[in-house]
Amino acid sequence: MDFKNILTEALSSASGLDKEAVADMIEIPPNSEMGDFALPCFKLAKTMRKAPHVIAKELCEKLGSLEGFSRIETAGGYLNFFTDKTAFAKSVVDRVLREGDKYGCSDEGRGRNVCIDYSSINIAKPFAVHHITTTVLGNSLKRIYDHLGYHTISINHLGDWGTQFGKMIVAYQKWGNKETIENGDSTRELVKLYVKFHEEADKDPSLNDAAREAFHRIELHCPEEWELFEWFKKLTLKDVARTYDLLGITFDSYNGEAFYEDKMPAIIKELEDKGISKIDNGMTIVDLSEYDMPPCIIKRSDGSTIYATRDLAAAKYRHDTYNFCKSLYVVAYQQNLHFRQVFKVLELMGYDWAKDCVHVNFGMVNMEGATFSTRKGNVIYLEDALHILIDKALEIITEKSPELENKEEVARQIGVGSLVFSVLYNGRIKDYSFSWEKSLSFDGETGPYAQYTYARSCSVMRKAGGFDRENIDYSVLSDDASKALLRAIDALPEIIEQAAEKYEPYLISRAVIDICSCFNKFYYDNRIMDDDMTVRNARLALTEAARTAIRVGLFLVGLEAPERM
């Protein structure tokens, strides 16, 4: 039984408003004593020309009684709806048991494609901790959109173009050793060369000229430089695969900046032909002053292109190739202006799909005050951070559960999950300071807490050995703890939709913690393995529903759900 839909239909008929407007107005009260659903009537006062409390009273009289609801009450300007507890419990548990891991799935995205550009690592540079947000945020959005029926295309837009590769080639030719690089940790060896280049260039600026010339030779596909460039890329992708494996992340495309090298001339010509670009001090620009933005540079005075040129080419290629309904760019907020400019230029080019390009920006993460600079060599590799967390998790598990089988595997799930959950527990735009100790806590609003709660629910179901799904007496689930848990589980599908609409996975992380908190209270307040088999069966059914909802939520934010801890 879809209680919100029943309510929406009835209120739409009684008020004369369209269903979508009514659905947007319906709220879930913070306290169940105030009802299971509520309609605040304040927004209606202006159009209906009546006081909110009068509107609430009139609507209450028009509605009378509703299927599945035990009563309707007014409270000032609010209309509060109380569901029939047995019907509500049956509706929630039945749906979760029926849908399983597809709980909250929908077909809203059927036949529609969503491109998601995230992670976007740099070739020959470290996969550092500060890449964690774009990587796990993008991965979570991919899973959320998949869950809602969309076909997603995950894109790792590699940073594989620019003068830095000329620097790498000069450094390798002067100080590099192929055997050392291939037999060691390749990317770290390349970073050492990059750091050495900048140290030496401070003393000998002519090295920068040599680097520019080396990159120009890459642009010309000169055999020696092009072969080294491709080699750097191959080595980097091999190294970063270890980190992506730890995170459980894969991509459909690794087309980076270099891929669009031969596609930029057409964009530049189109801008010229449509009279959108102009020459200014030798540069090709698009004047955006009337939109309160500085000019978007298309070509520098030396004829070289920049990020904007490549992003314009990439946007058109993605639309032509994938026909997306949305194209998301999961990139830090420092690039706000860049994407405003790119999207505006696409709009000026006449592409109505420019409105479907979205910059999903986010704040910065630091590791308890650490700062990062590849040039200076002071970086924390993401792989190292993950292994530190895994090792710490193993120490905790060994102390708490010394007899646990597969401790190493569980430690990996907890250690990796602790970092991912920490990053995705707050609104994405906020800067975030990561705490090693707090993230691994099994108490509070953390990944390990959610995973431990899931393992607890699994333990209950193992001990029970199953339950009778066909004969559940839902009237048993009428105590406060059961009702709170049912409400938390029931909220998840709508929260998943909100997370997609707002590009905010943290909403799901918070919902998971809410379900876990409610389950633990239910666990302590009720004897699940009750001697009364009717009571036991109903409580096991609710436990299974909670277990499923937690697992679904954890998966959507990128965490694994260990069954034993």
Side-chain angles (χ1 to χ4, degrees):
M1 184 178 291
D2 189 335
F3 290 89
K4 186 173 181 180
N5 189 51
I6 292 171
L7 203 52
T8 299
E9 293 271 1
L11 284 169
S12 175
S13 177
S15 66
L17 295 171
D18 66 76
K19 294 176 186 177
E20 187 175 346
V22 171
D24 288 341
M25 291 175 64
I26 294 172
E27 298 177 352
I28 296 177
N31 188 326
S32 61
E33 292 180 2
M34 301 163 66
D36 298 297
F37 298 94
L39 180 76
C41 298
F42 306 97
K43 290 182 180 179
L44 300 174
K46 185 175 181 180
T47 55
M48 298 181 75
R49 299 181 180 278
K50 295 177 183 178
H53 73 278
V54 174
I55 297 171
K57 185 176 180 181
E58 289 182 354
L59 287 175
C60 185
E61 291 173 353
K62 282 185 180 181
L63 291 170
S65 61
L66 288 176
E67 179 191 4
F69 290 85
S70 59
R71 67 184 193 276
I72 306 171
E73 296 178 352
T74 60
Y78 286 88
L79 193 55
N80 296 330
F81 301 87
F82 297 80
T83 60
D84 177 89
K85 302 309 176 187
T86 300
F88 181 66
K90 183 179 189 306
S91 172
V92 174
V93 176
D94 271 3
R95 179 181 177 184
V96 182
L97 297 184
R98 182 176 67 253
E99 296 182 359
D101 285 344
K102 293 188 179 296
Y103 181 54
C105 279
S106 77
D107 60 359
E108 76 168 54
R110 180 181 296 172
R112 295 197 285 172
N113 298 332
V114 176
C115 290
I116 310 178
D117 175 337
Y118 60 103
S119 199
S120 302
I121 58 163
N122 296 307
I123 297 302
K125 285 190 177 181
F127 192 171
V129 165
H130 58 269
H131 291 106
I132 185 64
T133 306
T134 173
T135 303
V136 301
L137 175 57
N139 180 58
S140 179
L141 289 172
K142 171 180 167 53
R143 293 185 178 195
I144 291 166
Y145 277 98
D146 283 341
H147 204 69
L148 296 177
Y150 293 86
H151 173 243
T152 59
I153 301 96
S154 53
I155 301 169
N156 196 330
H157 185 71
L158 301 175
D160 59 357
W161 205 243
T163 309
Q164 68 265 32
F165 295 101
K167 295 177 181 179
M168 283 302 312
I169 284 173
V170 170
Y172 175 74
Q173 290 172 333
K174 284 184 171 294
W175 310 294
N177 180 281
K178 185 174 184 179
E179 184 177 343
T180 301
I181 292 171
E182 288 192 327
N183 294 338
D185 194 319
S186 303
T187 306
R188 299 184 195 222
E189 293 299 328
L190 292 174
V191 169
K192 290 178 185 177
L193 291 176
Y194 189 73
V195 172
K196 185 172 179 62
F197 176 90
H198 285 280
E199 290 173 347
E200 296 300 321
D202 286 341
K203 295 179 282 187
D204 181 7
S206 68
L207 286 173
N208 289 315
D209 295 327
R212 282 188 284 271
E213 175 59 26
F215 178 61
H216 184 57
R217 290 177 66 78
I218 294 175
E219 292 180 299
L220 297 174
H221 285 226
C222 294
E224 180 181 351
E225 286 77 12
W226 186 259
E227 184 178 334
L228 284 173
F229 171 66
E230 288 290 303
W231 182 55
F232 294 157
K233 185 184 297 188
K234 180 182 177 182
L235 292 172
T236 304
L237 291 178
K238 180 182 177 183
D239 278 0
V240 301
R242 295 193 303 268
T243 304
Y244 287 130
D245 286 346
L246 281 172
L247 292 167
I249 293 175
T250 59
F251 294 91
D252 299 308
S253 169
Y254 282 90
N255 289 337
E257 295 179 72
F259 178 77
Y260 300 101
E261 176 201 6
D262 62 350
K263 298 167 182 60
M264 290 186 287
I267 291 290
I268 295 168
K269 186 175 187 302
E270 184 178 349
L271 289 167
E272 293 171 352
D273 291 346
K274 290 181 175 178
I276 297 169
S277 64
K278 67 179 185 178
I279 304 300
D280 183 13
N281 292 324
M283 298 185 296
T284 301
I285 68 165
V286 176
D287 184 1
L288 299 175
S289 56
E290 66 176 290
Y291 306 104
D292 296 320
M293 285 184 275
C296 181
I297 299 172
I298 305 301
K299 282 198 301 185
R300 295 191 181 97
S301 56
D302 63 3
S304 61
T305 56
I306 64 169
Y307 290 120
T309 328
R310 294 187 279 280
D311 277 343
L312 289 168
K316 188 172 188 306
Y317 173 84
R318 290 172 189 174
H319 187 266
D320 291 348
T321 304
Y322 304 115
N323 189 29
F324 56 72
C325 69
K326 281 183 185 291
S327 185
L328 309 184
Y329 296 78
V330 186
V331 183
Y333 65 71
Q334 286 88 341
Q335 298 301 318
N336 283 357
L337 174 60
H338 167 78
F339 283 108
R340 283 178 59 215
Q341 289 177 310
V342 169
F343 299 161
K344 177 54 70 174
V345 172
L346 289 170
E347 181 186 321
L348 294 174
M349 292 172 78
Y351 295 127
D352 60 355
W353 48 263
K355 69 181 184 306
D356 302 319
C357 296
V358 180
H359 177 205
V360 181
N361 56 2
F362 56 84
M364 303 306 291
V365 63
N366 69 74
M367 305 296 281
E368 297 181 317
T371 56
F372 312 106
S373 170
T374 306
R375 291 186 180 192
K376 297 178 181 178
N378 57 327
V379 296
I380 299 176
Y381 282 78
L382 180 53
E383 183 182 12
D384 290 348
L386 290 171
H387 279 296
I388 289 170
L389 288 164
I390 292 169
D391 290 343
K392 288 178 177 291
L394 183 59
E395 291 176 9
I396 295 170
I397 293 170
T398 301
E399 179 183 345
K400 289 179 175 288
S401 307
E403 304 303 319
L404 180 67
E405 296 180 3
N406 301 319
K407 285 197 288 287
E408 291 76 11
E409 174 63 10
V410 175
R412 180 191 62 77
Q413 294 172 325
I414 295 171
V416 172
S418 69
L419 178 55
V420 174
F421 200 85
S422 294
V423 173
L424 296 182
Y425 193 67
N426 296 292
R428 57 182 163 79
I429 202 60
K430 294 181 180 178
D431 289 339
Y432 172 69
S433 182
F434 177 77
S435 165
W436 301 91
E437 184 177 349
K438 182 179 177 182
S439 73
L440 280 168
S441 173
F442 282 64
D443 298 314
E445 301 164 347
T446 67
Y449 168 76
Q451 290 171 316
Y452 182 75
T453 302
Y454 176 77
R456 167 176 280 165
S457 68
C458 290
S459 175
V460 172
M461 298 310 297
R462 278 196 306 274
K463 291 174 183 176
F467 63 99
D468 185 354
R469 293 172 179 246
E470 304 302 322
N471 295 289
I472 302 169
D473 183 355
Y474 291 102
S475 66
V476 170
L477 305 175
S478 59
D479 62 283
D480 289 344
S482 296
K483 288 189 291 185
L485 179 54
L486 287 162
R487 278 163 56 96
I489 295 169
D490 182 59
L492 184 60
E494 186 170 345
I495 289 171
I496 293 170
E497 293 178 1
Q498 291 172 359
E501 181 183 344
K502 298 177 180 179
Y503 317 112
E504 287 283 19
Y506 92 94
L507 295 171
I508 298 175
S509 300
R510 298 285 173 115
V512 168
I513 291 298
D514 191 25
I515 295 169
C516 290
S517 176
C518 289
F519 174 76
N520 285 323
K521 189 170 192 318
F522 164 77
Y523 177 87
Y524 285 115
D525 284 4
N526 293 285
R527 188 164 181 255
I528 297 175
M529 301 298 287
D530 198 87
D531 293 336
D532 185 326
M533 295 304 294
T534 299
V535 173
R536 176 189 297 195
N537 199 60
R539 289 175 178 168
L540 285 172
L542 180 51
T543 298
E544 178 62 18
R547 178 169 79 142
T548 301
I550 294 168
R551 183 173 64 247
V552 168
L554 287 175
F555 173 80
L556 292 177
V557 293
L559 272 72
E560 294 182 52
E563 296 192 358
R564 288 178 168 85
M565 283 176 62

